[in-house]
Amino acid sequence: MSYTDPGRPAKERAEHLLGLMTLEEKAAQLVQPFGWQAYEHTNGTITLTEDFKRRVAETGIGSLYGMLRADPWTGVTLASGLSPRQGAEAVNAIQRYAIEHSRLGIPILIGEECSHGHMAIGATVFPVPLSLGSSWNVDLYREMCRAVALETRSQGGTVTYSPVLDVVRDPRWGRTEECFGEDAYLISELAVASVEGLQGDSLSSQESVGATLKHFVGYGSSEGGRNAGPVHMGWRELLEVDLLPFKKAVEAGAVSVMPAYNEIDGVPCTTNTALLEDILRGAWGFDGLVITDCGAIEMLASGHDVAEDGLDASVQAISSGIDMEMSGAMFGEHLVNAVRTGRLAPEILDRAVQRVLELKFKLGLFEQPYADPDAAEKFIGSKKHRELARKLAAESIILLKNEGNTLPLAGSSGGSGGAGGSGIGGSGKVAVIGPNADAPYNQLGDYTSPQQRASIVTVLDGVRSKLGPERVLHAPGCRIKGDSREGFEAALSCAAQADTVVMVLGGSSARDFGEGTIDLKTGASKVTEHSWSDMDCGEGIDRISLALSGVQLELVQEIHKLGKPVIVVYINGRPVSEPWIEEHAHAILEAWYPGQEGGHAVADILFGEVNPSGRLTVSWPKDVGQLPVYYNGKRSRGKRYLETDSQPRYPFGFGLSYTSFSYAELKVEPQSITAGETATVTVQVTNTGERTGAEVVQLYISDVASKVSRPAKELKGFRKITLSPGESQIVEFEVGPEQLQYIGPDVQPVVEPGAFKVLAGSHVNDVLEAALMVMEGSDGAD
């Protein structure tokens, strides 16, 4: 038997290859240097670096991180970066050299960032995950993941560091935009779709990549919303909430997991054996690869301070279940010495190498290590993928307010406006004002590569495409940050000439053009007060406030004095708490960071060509002092503060439409079941308005009394349906053990007998209610 025999199982091939390797070659498989440092690109010519060649010749290289990544951290720009074809050719040159010049010819695992599109030049930039979650369209998101996998694999990337499955608990956290929302069930549904979309039917397909689930676990619950801060959480909440999306994604077949930077109850996730071995591999049966986040092992000795030095940190990490280190600084320096000095058992090293090799065999890298430059040129950034990005962005936009049916606007060439909408007429003008009106990078979100200006459609571009440039006025007014009001005069002049004003406000997670300084170790941006930085969101950019940065609020207030209809469009990565805007704006749209086609999507909504159907996946606080305000907190959390109640401004699941929907005839059959049985829930939903529209029908469960305190309501199902005016549909859900169980007093899943409430409606605070009784019997819990 030979490891080169494709007819043998991956496990057997890996075992055979492992037996042929030296200690140094084994250790090298667990190291992942930065891929952009493996080549140089000058005047269209790709040259492999001498350091890369040396490492290949001496020990081989296990993996490369961000071979195709381009951003200020990597130093790869539009001028120095690789086109889709060049990227594929560069990967091929790297793989060819590694196979032909290493002793055993082991191909390299190419790992790439693909949170909302492959982070490479020319790749499609989809909306950020917070936006994708707001679509509540699991099938469309799965289709997006298929497109991302195709773009990535066609260029040679074989593993992606997504999806992000963190449960958001404090939106001050700068990485809120990278998450789907605050509800574990919703995240779980998207997690499964992500694995199915990225990995496809076969990992070895040239249209599939391996999914890496991150950040395992509790990363969204850090102290004070500070990135990588300590997490204070008990096992019951971990099992019931934060671990649930990971469990579902592992069951769907995910092949890789990335532990979080944070510690839980004093134990860093990087060395948490209970999480990595007992739960992930033991209870769940995960047999894939565990890779650290960048710099996580160094943090053990300098940050968490649970290791004496790099050697101690490396031994702790690999012994706890880590298989590969992103960046490879610690493993590359210490693993060989650790084995030779007896600090690390050889079988622990072999265990990690076995897992790396098995994944390479499953990906088909030994049979087909090379990318297809023709496919890369054809599929990356294709028209089909841009159209998908536009559709996703439009389905994700949330209408938060629409006073007097201000929207949709009438007057575009394709739009129909609407009864009661703002008719700007055939010659009326719209002023598009604000720092995000025509700021291309500000609408893309973090983890985005440099872009050609022509590839990004801003809100200004989108409105102009509807009305023509002669009917659209524009002025930025101010920046995202800073106190300069020098643009107010021009903005007021534009607004005074217009019939309607669209204010495009929010935040920025743009790393480009010098926004923020860069942490040279992790690639995260650091807060800076330099005047050129507009970045107020993204990795490493946590806030103490949810108010608009800079003088944006003051700009809106000045514009409002003109007496024109004011429509606010937020482009941002976290909820905004601005009571004055919520009271005085005539309409409010939340677009999050909508991606490269975001401007078209916003304009489609503004002019009624698309009926808004996005719904909030994070509760929107009235004030930062209410935090945490996520909907499924415990019943005992209290009702109010001195100044206000504890309810959010906009609740979880909320979103308006240009039509209206009614709910009736909520039924549960049978009304009494045993703990192992299933009931069928039906509810009739009717479009009572004058437009075709999509509604997100949401199912919640409430356990009336339980031995352990529970949230008042928990999402357990949803359906996105489209109805014509006057049309009704019966929507059906199944409620059984999975929907009724919780982690009981013995920290095991249980369905307790007793009374339950079944609730269905348009959002968590607008539901019909029916009763379900669970009788004694088989508990049916997993």
Side-chain angles (χ1 to χ4, degrees):
M1 197 276 286
S2 170
Y3 69 87
T4 60
D5 181 1
R8 306 302 301 173
K11 186 175 188 298
E12 291 184 11
R13 298 176 73 184
E15 288 173 347
H16 179 247
L17 178 54
L18 182 65
L20 304 176
M21 299 172 72
T22 66
L23 173 60
E24 290 77 10
E25 288 170 336
K26 291 176 182 178
Q29 286 298 304
L30 311 185
V31 173
Q32 188 186 60
F34 295 138
W36 62 88
Q37 296 176 351
Y39 70 93
E40 294 176 351
H41 177 220
T42 308
N43 298 324
T45 300
I46 299 164
T47 306
L48 303 184
T49 63
E50 292 304 313
D51 181 65
F52 170 79
K53 292 179 180 179
R54 176 189 59 77
R55 297 177 75 158
V56 167
E58 290 178 356
T59 62
I61 293 177
S63 181
L64 289 175
Y65 169 77
M67 160 69 204
L68 300 160
R69 175 172 172 165
D71 69 338
W73 180 41
T74 65
V76 179
T77 66
L78 281 173
S80 65
L82 305 171
S83 70
R85 171 173 284 277
Q86 289 172 330
E89 291 171 343
V91 169
N92 288 348
I94 282 173
Q95 292 284 31
R96 186 172 293 108
Y97 193 91
I99 291 168
E100 294 178 356
H101 293 83
S102 62
R103 188 176 71 87
L104 295 169
I106 302 174
I108 295 174
L109 189 70
I110 306 292
E112 297 291 321
E113 298 286 358
C114 302
S115 174
H116 55 114
H118 184 200
M119 197 176 169
I121 290 173
T124 308
V125 184
F126 292 94
V128 296
L130 185 58
S131 179
L132 297 168
S134 299
S135 75
W136 296 67
N137 191 329
V138 176
D139 292 336
L140 196 62
Y141 173 62
R142 184 186 297 107
E143 184 180 345
M144 187 207 91
C145 289
R146 291 303 298 147
V148 171
L150 176 59
E151 292 198 10
T152 307
R153 190 67 180 253
S154 70
Q155 215 175 6
T158 49
V159 173
T160 169
Y161 302 114
S162 58
V164 175
L165 304 183
D166 304 315
V167 180
V168 175
R169 285 294 178 252
D170 190 331
R172 293 176 298 174
W173 182 40
R175 302 192 78 170
T176 295
E177 67 181 84
E178 296 181 53
C179 308
F180 295 121
E182 70 186 27
D183 181 81
Y185 174 81
L186 174 63
I187 298 168
S188 297
E189 294 293 295
L190 294 163
V192 171
S194 178
V195 173
E196 292 172 345
L198 292 170
Q199 296 185 177
D201 296 328
S202 171
L203 273 179
S204 61
S205 166
Q206 294 305 295
E207 299 180 2
S208 297
V209 293
T212 300
L213 316 177
K214 69 181 189 183
H215 305 86
F216 190 74
V217 61
Y219 194 41
S221 296
S222 62
E223 184 178 273
R226 294 185 293 274
N227 192 45
V231 172
H232 312 288
M233 186 183 297
W235 273 105
R236 180 173 289 106
E237 185 175 355
L238 265 176
L239 291 167
E240 207 163 68
V241 180
D242 289 68
L243 283 168
L244 179 64
F246 289 92
K247 181 176 186 289
K248 294 298 183 182
V250 167
E251 292 172 351
V255 296
S256 179
V257 169
M258 178 184 290
Y261 285 124
N262 57 273
E263 61 185 68
I264 302 175
D265 194 24
V267 182
C269 292
T270 308
T271 54
N272 196 320
T273 306
L275 287 173
L276 299 178
E277 291 295 328
D278 298 346
I279 290 179
L280 180 61
R281 296 196 186 277
W284 297 353
F286 177 72
D287 63 354
L289 177 74
V290 175
I291 180 172
T292 71
D293 210 335
C294 187
I297 295 180
E298 291 172 271
M299 285 180 64
L300 298 175
S302 180
H304 296 298
D305 296 337
V306 296
E308 295 178 356
D309 51 28
L311 174 60
D312 186 21
S314 298
V315 172
Q316 285 192 42
I318 195 171
S319 299
S320 299
I322 298 297
D323 301 315
M324 180 178 285
E325 181 192 11
M326 181 181 286
S327 80
M330 295 293 99
F331 273 13
E333 182 177 350
H334 297 296
L335 286 185
V336 170
N337 182 49
V339 173
R340 285 181 173 161
T341 59
R343 293 284 298 273
L344 178 66
E347 56 267 24
I348 293 179
L349 180 74
D350 287 354
R351 178 185 68 180
V353 178
Q354 172 83 17
R355 292 166 181 164
V356 173
L357 296 176
E358 282 190 35
L359 180 55
K360 291 185 178 184
F361 283 117
K362 290 175 181 178
L363 286 163
L365 285 175
F366 284 80
E367 285 66 59
Q368 179 50 279
Y370 303 115
D372 182 348
D374 290 335
E377 199 167 50
K378 176 181 178 181
F379 294 119
I380 293 176
S382 67
K383 179 181 179 182
K384 179 180 178 181
H385 292 174
R386 292 196 305 273
E387 290 172 349
L388 178 59
R390 179 172 179 170
K391 181 173 176 58
L392 271 162
E395 286 214 21
S396 302
I397 293 171
I398 305 159
L399 179 61
L400 295 175
K401 180 180 180 181
N402 196 19
E403 182 180 287
N405 291 327
T406 299
L407 293 176
L409 299 173
S412 76
S413 58
S416 57
S422 296
I424 55 176
S427 59
K429 294 183 178 181
V430 172
V432 183
I433 295 171
N436 277 343
D438 193 37
Y441 282 101
N442 285 10
Q443 70 182 46
L444 301 183
D446 206 354
Y447 283 87
T448 301
S449 63
Q451 304 291 314
Q452 297 285 355
R453 174 60 181 89
S455 70
I456 305 173
V457 182
T458 65
V459 175
L460 178 62
D461 296 332
V463 174
R464 281 175 172 167
S465 73
K466 303 295 185 188
L467 298 179
E470 68 281 353
R471 295 176 58 196
V472 181
L473 304 163
H474 167 63
C478 65
R479 299 192 61 156
I480 295 294
K481 295 167 63 178
D483 57 6
S484 173
R485 297 163 179 80
E486 61 184 345
F488 277 29
E489 182 178 353
L492 286 164
S493 175
C494 283
Q497 300 172 59
D499 298 278
T500 299
V501 181
V502 177
M503 299 291 304
V504 193
L505 311 170
S508 171
S509 295
R511 301 186 184 205
D512 301 272
F513 308 121
E515 287 85 355
T517 58
I518 301 299
D519 185 320
L520 297 178
K521 288 187 176 180
T522 69
S525 294
K526 292 181 178 179
V527 176
T528 173
E529 291 306 316
H530 296 305
S531 60
W532 61 80
S533 174
D534 265 347
M535 192 172 185
D536 69 351
C537 194
E539 185 175 1
I541 309 294
D542 312 314
R543 296 191 63 196
I544 63 170
S545 170
L546 293 178
L548 290 170
S549 297
V551 294
Q552 294 182 79
L553 175 60
E554 187 177 335
L555 176 64
V556 183
Q557 291 171 331
E558 292 299 312
I559 296 290
H560 186 268
K561 292 176 182 177
L562 298 175
K564 307 293 180 74
V566 174
I567 299 160
V568 169
V569 178
Y570 285 131
I571 290 180
N572 51 315
R574 54 163 73 90
V576 173
S577 179
E578 286 291 1
W580 189 94
I581 290 178
E582 287 147 12
E583 180 181 351
H584 292 90
H586 296 84
I588 303 174
L589 289 175
E590 175 54 80
W592 305 122
Y593 293 130
Q596 71 179 78
E597 288 292 319
H600 278 321
V602 170
D604 289 341
I605 297 287
L606 289 173
F607 292 96
E609 294 175 29
V610 173
N611 194 343
S613 63
R615 302 292 185 263
L616 287 175
T617 61
V618 287
S619 301
W620 190 292
K622 298 186 184 83
D623 187 274
V624 71
Q626 290 180 302
L627 297 175
V629 74
Y630 54 90
Y631 86 93
N632 50 355
K634 297 297 183 69
R635 291 179 170 98
S636 59
R637 74 191 323 187
K639 302 296 183 183
R640 64 171 298 110
Y641 295 90
L642 174 64
E643 297 87 353
T644 185
D645 59 38
S646 60
Q647 289 297 309
R649 175 74 62 183
Y650 303 111
F652 177 83
F654 177 81
L656 301 174
S657 171
Y658 294 153
T659 189
S660 55
F661 300 93
S662 67
Y663 287 72
E665 299 184 34
L666 176 63
K667 298 178 181 179
V668 180
E669 296 291 342
Q671 295 179 337
S672 178
I673 60 174
T674 64
E677 294 178 333
T678 298
T680 299
V681 177
T682 57
V683 64
Q684 179 178 289
V685 184
T686 302
N687 183 339
T688 56
E690 300 178 0
R691 285 174 170 264
T692 296
E695 170 71 335
V696 179
V697 184
Q698 301 164 39
L699 175 76
Y700 297 88
I701 298 293
S702 178
D703 192 345
V704 176
S706 54
K707 293 179 181 178
V708 174
S709 65
R710 309 286 302 126
K713 300 172 187 174
E714 292 181 294
L715 182 73
K716 294 297 180 180
F718 61 90
R719 302 281 188 277
K720 191 167 191 176
I721 62 172
T722 300
L723 299 174
S724 301
E727 182 183 3
S728 295
Q729 182 175 328
I730 302 296
V731 180
E732 182 175 304
F733 299 96
E734 297 296 314
V735 173
E738 187 169 351
Q739 290 74 35
L740 300 173
Q741 71 182 23
Y742 77 103
I743 303 300
D746 60 353
V747 199
Q748 295 297 319
V750 62
V751 178
E752 289 180 349
F756 289 81
K757 295 177 182 178
V758 177
L759 311 109
S762 60
H763 61 76
V764 68
N765 291 341
D766 182 18
V767 292
L768 300 178
E769 180 182 313
L772 173 65
M773 181 62 69
V774 176
M775 311 300 290
E776 293 280 357
S778 171
D779 67 17
D782 294 334

